[in-house]
Amino acid sequence: MNETDPRVIRTRRLLLDAFAGLLKEKGFRAMSVQDIASRATVNRATFYAHFEDKYALMESFIRTGFQQRVAEELSRSAAFTMDNLRLLIGIVLEYLVQVESNQCRGAKQHAEPLFETIIQDELYQILLSWLKQPPPADVRCWAARETAAVAMSWAIFGAGLQWSQSRRNTPAEEMADQMVGLLTHGLFQAMEIEPTQAH
Amino acid sequence: MNETDPRVIRTRRLLLDAFAGLLKEKGFRAMSVQDIASRATVNRATFYAHFEDKYALMESFIRTGFQQRVAEELSRSAAFTMDNLRLLIGIVLEYLVQVESNQCRGAKQHAEPLFETIIQDELYQILLSWLKQPPPADVRCWAARETAAVAMSWAIFGAGLQWSQSRRNTPAEEMADQMVGLLTHGLFQAMEIEPTQAH
DNA sequence: AAATATAGACGACACGTGTTGCTTAGTCAA
DNA sequence: TTGACTAAGCAACACGTGTCGTCTATATTT
C-alpha cells in the first residue's frame, strides 16, 4: 500500500479523526469498527486494509501522540542528565493524564488492555539511547544497560500511571521530583525512610 | 452464586482444567469460549455465569497461581529485608517464565493484553504491606510509601518480563542479584556506571 | 488523453460473542 | 420423602468480526 497516494492519506486521516472523536465520546471499549468506519464515511473493509483491528489503531494513536510530545519538548538525542530526566518524566505525567481522560468511559480494571504500556516502550527506547552514549564517570557496573533502562522505564511509567489514575492530589511538579529522588537515591533506601505513624 | 454448592465447584474446576489444557495447546488468543466450554463438557451459557469473558478467566488463572507460589515460598506477612526481597524477585522470575511458556502460542507484541501486569499488582500489595510496618531506621523521606511501592513493583515486574521474554542467557540467580543491586543503590547511579565500549 | 494500476465500495460469508427465556436436574432443608 | 431452590442445559437472538470476490472510481504513467 503506497503511503504517498492521496487516497491513502485521506482515508487514514478520516479514520484517525473518527477514532479520536469516538474515543472522547464513548471511550475505547464501547466503540466498534463499524462505528469508526461509518463515522469516517469509509467502508468497514477499508478499515481492515489499514489496521489489523481497533487495538492496532489505538496503539498507533497513542504511540505517535507520545512521540510528537517528546519531539516537541525534548531535543533529539539529548544527553542523560538530571534535568533531561526530570523533563522526560514531566512529559510522561502530562501525557498519561491526557490518555486517562480519553479512556475514562471504558471500565478501568477489567480485561481492557493496558495501552499505556506503549509509553513504557517508547520510554525504554529513549533511555537506552541515552545510556548508549559513553558515561561521564567510569565506576563499577551493577547491571547491564538494558536492565537498567527497562527497570527505570517501568518504574517511571508505573508510578506515573498510578498517579494519573488517582485523584492526583499531589501536583505533577512535586510528583516528578519524588520520582527523580527515587531513581537517584534508590528505591530500597527510600522505603526505610518514610516516617510512619503507628496504626 | 453459592460458592460451596458442589455443582459450582465442579463446574469451576472443569472450566479451569479445560482452560489450562487449551492454554498449553493453542495459546490464549486462539482459543474461544466455545472451545473452553465444550472441552469442559459445559454449556457455553454456563461459562458466562461464572466468568465475564475469557480474559477474566485468564486473570483469575494467573492471579491465583501467583498467589499460591508466594504463599508456598514466603511466610505470610514477612518483613522487608534484603533476603526477602531477593526471594520475592526469584519467585517473580520463575513464575514469569512459566506464564511465558504457556502464552508462547499467542502472537507476542500484538493487541494481546499484558496479563503479566497482574503479577505487578500482587507485587505491589506485598511490598506495600511490608512498608506499612514501621521502618527500622528513621531518616529523611523522599517519597510516599505508595509511590515507592508502585515504582519498585513495576521495576521488578518490567525487568523480569524483559528477561523472561529474552533468550535468558543470564541465569535467574544473577538476574535477581542485578535487580536487588539496582533497587538498593539507585537506578540512576547504575546507569553512569556501566563500562561502555565505543561504537 | 488513453492505458494501466490500485484504493475503496459493496455485499456476502462463516464464525464468535453475550444475553435471554425456558426446561431439566441437582442439592439442601423441613 | 417431599418440596423449594437454583445451577446447568438448551435454543435462539441480535450483533460485531474478519475475510473474500467483484465492481467502480481515482491516481499515476506514457
Side-chain angles (χ1 to χ4, degrees):
Chain A
M1 181 115 51
N2 182 10
E3 301 289 331
T4 66
D5 190 321
R7 293 171 294 182
V8 175
I9 297 174
R10 180 188 118 97
T11 302
R12 283 200 122 92
R13 162 127 252 104
L14 286 172
L15 285 173
L16 259 302
D17 288 351
F19 180 78
L22 287 170
L23 195 60
K24 279 213 183 299
E25 287 175 20
K26 29 188 339 191
F28 177 76
R29 185 158 212 179
M31 86 175 85
S32 66
V33 175
Q34 304 266 26
D35 296 333
I36 303 171
S38 59
R39 176 153 178 161
T41 62
V42 150
N43 192 273
R44 194 167 61 89
T46 305
F47 175 95
Y48 288 107
H50 288 265
F51 298 97
E52 192 178 333
D53 48 29
K54 69 171 184 168
Y55 295 88
L57 175 51
M58 179 62 151
E59 176 168 337
S60 161
F61 185 77
I62 291 187
R63 170 159 275 130
T64 58
F66 184 69
Q67 282 173 341
Q68 280 180 4
R69 263 291 155 74
V70 171
E72 284 169 15
E73 307 206 26
L74 212 61
S75 62
R76 177 129 192 88
S77 76
F80 188 14
T81 66
M82 284 280 263
D83 282 346
N84 278 335
L85 182 63
R86 208 188 165 292
L87 194 57
L88 184 59
I89 292 177
I91 297 171
V92 170
L93 293 183
E94 183 189 4
Y95 195 68
L96 279 172
V97 170
Q98 181 185 324
V99 172
E100 187 65 19
S101 69
N102 282 339
Q103 284 270 70
C104 66
R105 288 274 188 171
K108 289 270 183 302
Q109 64 260 18
H110 279 50
E112 198 92 352
L114 275 180
F115 289 112
E116 298 92 340
T117 58
I118 296 159
I119 294 173
Q120 178 276 327
D121 189 53
E122 289 294 318
L123 213 44
Y124 173 72
Q125 304 297 336
I126 295 169
L127 291 174
L128 194 58
S129 77
W130 285 358
L131 289 178
K132 287 278 179 69
Q133 301 167 8
D138 198 330
V139 209
R140 276 177 44 72
C141 132
W142 283 318
R145 273 189 297 262
E146 283 75 11
T147 307
V150 79
M152 202 162 173
S153 60
W154 279 109
I156 294 173
F157 158 75
L161 182 67
Q162 170 148 313
W163 173 81
S164 75
Q165 288 182 346
S166 71
R167 293 178 313 286
R168 292 198 285 282
N169 29 28
T170 312
E173 295 292 313
E174 189 182 328
M175 191 62 198
D177 285 333
Q178 278 192 27
M179 288 167 63
V180 172
L182 280 176
L183 296 173
T184 309
H185 301 103
L187 298 170
F188 194 91
Q189 284 178 37
M191 309 209 141
E192 305 192 351
I193 271 161
E194 167 77 6
T196 312
Q197 59 264 26
H199 61 287
Chain B
M1 180 113 55
N2 182 8
E3 301 288 330
T4 65
D5 190 321
R7 293 172 294 181
V8 175
I9 297 173
R10 180 189 118 98
T11 302
R12 284 199 123 93
R13 160 126 252 102
L14 287 172
L15 285 173
L16 260 301
D17 288 350
F19 180 78
L22 286 170
L23 196 60
K24 280 212 183 298
E25 287 175 21
K26 27 186 343 189
F28 177 77
R29 185 158 213 180
M31 87 175 83
S32 65
V33 175
Q34 304 266 27
D35 296 333
I36 304 170
S38 58
R39 177 152 176 162
T41 62
V42 151
N43 192 274
R44 193 166 62 88
T46 305
F47 174 95
Y48 288 107
H50 287 266
F51 298 96
E52 191 177 335
D53 49 29
K54 69 172 184 166
Y55 295 88
L57 175 51
M58 178 63 150
E59 176 169 335
S60 162
F61 185 77
I62 291 185
R63 171 160 274 131
T64 58
F66 183 69
Q67 282 172 341
Q68 281 181 2
R69 264 291 155 73
V70 170
E72 284 170 14
E73 307 205 27
L74 213 60
S75 62
R76 178 127 193 88
S77 76
F80 189 13
T81 66
M82 285 279 262
D83 283 344
N84 278 336
L85 181 64
R86 207 189 165 292
L87 194 57
L88 184 58
I89 292 176
I91 297 172
V92 171
L93 293 183
E94 183 190 3
Y95 195 69
L96 279 171
V97 170
Q98 181 185 324
V99 171
E100 187 66 20
S101 70
N102 282 339
Q103 284 271 69
C104 67
R105 287 277 188 169
K108 289 270 185 303
Q109 64 260 20
H110 279 49
E112 198 91 354
L114 275 181
F115 289 111
E116 298 92 341
T117 58
I118 296 159
I119 295 173
Q120 178 276 327
D121 189 53
E122 289 294 318
L123 213 44
Y124 172 72
Q125 304 297 338
I126 296 170
L127 290 174
L128 193 58
S129 77
W130 284 357
L131 289 178
K132 287 278 178 69
Q133 300 168 8
D138 198 331
V139 209
R140 273 177 45 73
C141 133
W142 282 317
R145 273 190 297 261
E146 282 76 11
T147 307
V150 80
M152 203 164 173
S153 60
W154 279 108
I156 294 173
F157 158 74
L161 182 67
Q162 169 148 312
W163 173 81
S164 75
Q165 288 182 347
S166 71
R167 294 178 311 287
R168 292 199 285 280
N169 28 29
T170 312
E173 295 293 313
E174 189 181 329
M175 191 63 198
D177 285 333
Q178 279 191 26
M179 288 167 63
V180 171
L182 281 175
L183 295 173
T184 309
H185 300 105
L187 299 169
F188 194 90
Q189 284 179 36
M191 310 210 140
E192 305 192 350
I193 271 161
E194 168 78 6
T196 312
Q197 60 264 26
H199 58 289

